[in-house]
Amino acid sequence: MMKSVKVVKDLHWVGAIDYNVRHFHGFSYTVHHGTTYNAYLMVDEKIALIDAVFGPFSDEMFRRIESVIDPERIDYVISNHTEMDHSGAIPEVLNRVPNARLVCTEKAVDPLKKHYPDGWEIETVETGDEISLGEKTLRFYEAPMLHWPETMFTYYVEEQVLLPNDAFGQHFATAKRFADEVDQTTLWREAEKYYANILWPLSRMVKRKIEEIVEMGLPIKIIAPSHGVIWRKNPLEIVNKYLGWAKGELVQDKVVIAWDTMWESTTKIALAIAEGIDDEGLEPLLRLIPHSDRGDIMADLLEAKGVLVGSSTLHNEILPTVAPLLSDFEALKPADKKAAAFGSYGWAGGAVDKIQVMMKNGKMQVIMKPFTVKWVPTEEELSQAREYGSEFARKVK
Ligand code: FEO
């Protein structure tokens, strides 16, 4: 039997572990360590299931629920977020327990009805609303844009457990359920990658919501997100990380250099720029784009001081391999990151202009004119590229 895991008194993890998934949101985000879909069961006089799992994992969730109670005893199904990795198993729950009440925000009604046109009755809640399960209470806080407009947080009042759905999660499949039980390097890298690739464009809302929670003086002993492991020792560590990332404060002495090349000229420029950055005491993170993972590059950038992107020119354009990273810049808006473009060209240029346009679309600060070389760089041009790297480093220091 698959077992539940007790989080605190009367709250059990009953989710599913997806060890094999490697892509998320279609193919837009690689998850090197798989993920988990965390559902939680509150057991009191009444019983609430807080979020569900991705549809194909519903059997796993039911087996874990059955290790605690008969699933037919569920009174409430709380949907904090309607994306299908959390709501996919809700139809099966409500088919098995037709009298259970589905609870969500007003904004969640439309997506739930469109995703699952089963005619369920839905009870909506707003910030501050509570459901008493007997001795224990669930309170709700709307959290729009963390990361969808309909998202809310559920709070287990008596034990001070925040269940914020996607916020504070990590795509990390492990047999362990708590953050203090797993490898810390992997944990924090996955948390960082998750923020960079999901929450970065929403940083303003992240900051506002955290400040709101701090102002409310909401005590938090445990944060139980919907992906990855549960934060039970010093849960404010991840909250402070989010605040730091949202404000762009957690920056180290690093610069990302990401590029692709046709005949190695752009690689020669990238290596010379890296030497110049190193000369100034910053660490260049060199990422040949076809050999790198876009999501990882975005995670590298989260705590870097800036980024240089290079491309050879092909048909007056950037190389097609470079386009997806720049498209991520446009979508994820690594606002205020300092940036510059470089590259080689032959008969005609064009790539660096396109790089700059896409960086600016991503609200980045392009702080230097592009560095370009026609044909193959000479020794003198490589010296200039090195100085260009040094100048970039001095400007971002
Ligand atoms: Fe984990 Fe927005 O779904």
Side-chain angles (χ1 to χ4, degrees):
M1 177 187 279
M2 284 188 165
K3 291 223 166 125
S4 65
V5 176
K6 181 180 165 188
V7 180
V8 283
K9 190 169 182 310
D10 302 325
L11 182 71
H12 307 264
W13 174 86
V14 291
I17 307 171
D18 190 348
Y19 287 104
N20 298 325
V21 66
R22 287 294 176 269
H23 297 97
F24 217 79
H25 291 155
F27 278 76
S28 68
Y29 177 174
T30 51
V31 287
H32 304 311
H33 298 98
T35 194
T36 71
Y37 314 105
N38 296 340
Y40 298 93
L41 194 70
M42 273 278 285
V43 180
D44 199 353
E45 287 164 33
K46 296 203 168 183
I47 292 171
L49 177 67
I50 302 161
D51 287 315
V53 297
F54 185 35
F57 290 81
S58 59
D59 275 356
E60 185 172 334
M61 179 186 74
F62 272 105
R63 283 154 76 190
R64 295 192 201 279
I65 293 172
E66 282 160 4
S67 74
V68 187
I69 51 133
D70 176 349
E72 293 190 5
R73 289 183 54 209
I74 293 171
D75 297 285
Y76 295 100
V77 178
I78 313 292
S79 175
N80 280 320
H81 175 37
T82 56
E83 198 163 5
M84 286 182 272
D85 47 334
H86 311 293
S87 66
I90 287 179
E92 198 173 332
V93 177
L94 294 176
N95 285 340
R96 286 176 65 161
V97 197
N99 291 329
R101 308 187 64 171
L102 181 57
V103 177
C104 62
T105 60
E106 180 68 41
K107 280 206 176 78
V109 173
D110 182 52
L112 279 174
K113 287 194 166 174
K114 197 72 193 293
H115 281 75
Y116 315 110
D118 289 345
W120 305 319
E121 279 203 27
I122 299 180
E123 183 176 326
T124 61
V125 288
E126 308 181 331
T127 293
D129 286 351
E130 294 185 345
I131 290 179
S132 170
L133 300 176
E135 292 184 2
K136 302 290 159 41
T137 316
L138 293 178
R139 188 187 298 151
F140 306 102
Y141 294 93
E142 291 161 274
M145 302 317 293
L146 291 178
H147 69 121
W148 275 13
E150 92 301 2
T151 308
M152 70 174 181
F153 295 173
T154 295
Y155 181 66
Y156 173 5
V157 176
E158 289 77 9
E159 295 290 335
Q160 303 175 352
V161 183
L162 185 69
L163 300 116
N165 197 267
D166 277 333
F168 310 118
Q170 340 85 46
H171 287 306
F172 188 9
T174 160
K176 299 295 182 187
R177 297 278 59 81
F178 296 97
D180 51 279
E181 298 177 313
V182 299
D183 175 71
Q184 296 299 295
T185 305
T186 309
L187 169 68
W188 285 103
R189 176 63 175 178
E190 288 303 325
E192 182 180 58
K193 183 172 176 180
Y194 187 98
Y195 187 94
N197 288 276
I198 297 174
L199 292 150
W200 204 340
L202 308 168
S203 288
R204 245 178 344 113
M205 276 71 89
V206 170
K207 182 173 159 286
R208 195 184 309 146
K209 179 52 69 179
I210 291 175
E211 286 171 352
E212 211 178 287
I213 288 173
V214 170
E215 272 169 32
M216 283 190 288
L218 195 70
I220 296 172
K221 275 194 194 151
I222 290 180
I223 295 176
S226 62
H227 293 293
V229 288
I230 298 164
W231 308 92
R232 68 177 169 188
K233 284 193 182 164
N234 191 11
L236 293 186
E237 194 176 2
I238 184 67
V239 176
N240 288 330
K241 277 276 185 188
Y242 266 47
L243 208 47
W245 288 329
K247 292 177 173 176
E249 288 175 351
L250 298 178
V251 174
Q252 301 176 14
D253 286 340
K254 294 177 180 180
V255 171
V256 175
I257 304 173
W259 80 99
D260 195 13
T261 189
M262 283 172 69
W263 296 107
E264 301 301 327
S265 289
T266 302
T267 293
K268 287 175 183 164
I269 300 168
L271 297 179
I273 288 174
E275 286 181 331
I277 288 168
D278 185 51
D279 289 343
E280 291 295 322
L282 300 189
E283 183 187 356
L285 304 177
L286 288 111
R287 304 290 184 255
L288 181 62
I289 292 172
H291 294 177
S292 308
D293 176 89
R294 277 170 26 234
D296 288 336
I297 294 175
M298 293 310 297
D300 292 332
L301 184 54
L302 186 62
E303 294 194 359
K305 290 199 160 158
V307 58
L308 295 114
V309 174
S311 175
S312 318
T313 292
L314 177 67
H315 306 309
N316 299 108
E317 271 285 355
I318 50 175
L319 292 172
T321 43
V322 175
L325 177 67
L326 294 166
S327 169
D328 277 350
F329 288 174
E330 290 185 321
L332 297 173
K333 297 193 170 37
D336 301 328
K337 283 291 173 193
K338 295 184 172 65
F342 65 93
S344 63
Y345 64 99
W347 298 110
V352 290
D353 300 330
K354 183 67 175 281
I355 292 170
Q356 288 196 146
V357 166
M358 294 181 82
M359 285 171 160
K360 287 176 183 170
N361 288 344
K363 310 284 183 208
M364 303 167 83
Q365 294 179 41
V366 177
I367 58 167
M368 289 172 71
K369 286 187 181 162
F371 185 87
T372 57
V373 167
K374 191 165 188 180
W375 306 119
V376 175
T378 62
E379 282 304 312
E380 188 185 344
E381 285 167 327
L382 288 177
S383 293
Q384 289 165 0
R386 186 170 182 150
E387 176 48 33
Y388 184 86
S390 292
E391 192 182 340
F392 184 88
R394 287 192 294 273
K395 283 176 186 280
V396 300
K397 263 187 190 174

